[in-house]
Amino acid sequence: MVTQLLEENGLIYRLDCFVVEKVCNGFQRKTEEAGTGAGLIPVSVNISRLDFGLTNMVKNIEDLIVANKMPSDMLDIEITESAFVSDEEAIRKAVDELHALGFKVCMDDFGSGYSSLNVLKDYDFDELKIDMEFL
């Protein structure tokens, strides 16, 4: 799988930044066409757990939305549950920084492998996306 290859080679953050950039470009294009952002809905983007160790992903996302004049409430950030077992402090800091910038932060795939309700008490998520296998 391409994502696995990118993760193994420390390049996954480049793909994630590219996806965020394309979402921001699309938002900018749609607002220019319509004259406002009215009627547009937020878009969710999955961020790899490795991004937080490879680069300052929060700063990258912030730079992209500022450059494209996209409000932070139009981009939801999803972080997979597996991220919370790798570097808890870095992820907690990133979640707090994303919230401070006005982003909605979601835990994705809860129950897919590392499930622990203890994790939920340590983070301030706006949304919890439960893996179907967990149910």
Side-chain angles (χ1 to χ4, degrees), residues 67-113:
N68 288 279
K69 300 177 181 85
M70 180 177 182
S72 57
D73 65 350
M74 295 302 288
L75 182 67
D76 297 343
I77 306 298
E78 295 185 10
I79 305 170
T80 58
E81 176 196 15
S82 61
F84 300 93
V85 297
S86 56
D87 187 352
E88 290 184 39
E89 193 52 42
I91 302 297
R92 184 177 293 109
K93 182 178 181 244
V95 169
D96 291 344
E97 289 174 355
L98 288 164
H99 276 138
L101 292 168
F103 292 100
K104 182 171 136 184
V105 181
C106 311
M107 177 190 272
D108 192 22
D109 291 334
F110 181 77
S112 62

Side-chain angles (χ1 to χ4, degrees), residues 18-87:
F18 176 79
V19 170
V20 171
E21 181 177 26
K22 289 300 167 192
V23 168
C24 291
N25 292 159
F27 177 85
Q28 186 178 41
R29 188 176 59 255
K30 290 292 185 186
T31 55
E32 287 172 359
E33 289 170 3
T36 74
L40 297 178
I41 59 171
V43 174
S44 294
V45 175
N46 281 65
I47 301 299
S48 171
R49 63 186 170 84
L50 299 177
D51 290 351
F52 301 101
L54 295 169
T55 186
N56 185 343
M57 197 61 184
V58 175
K59 179 76 169 121
N60 292 343
I61 293 169
E62 179 183 24
D63 291 347
L64 288 166
I65 66 159
V66 168
N68 288 279
K69 300 177 181 85
M70 180 177 182
S72 57
D73 65 350
M74 295 302 288
L75 182 67
D76 297 343
I77 306 298
E78 295 185 10
I79 305 170
T80 58
E81 176 196 15
S82 61
F84 300 93
V85 297
S86 56
D87 187 352

Side-chain angles (χ1 to χ4, degrees), residues 2-19:
V2 174
T3 358
Q4 184 179 359
L5 187 60
L6 290 171
E7 285 181 342
E8 288 171 1
N9 290 288
L11 299 172
I12 190 65
Y13 75 93
R14 295 174 93 183
L15 174 62
D16 291 342
C17 287
F18 176 79
V19 170

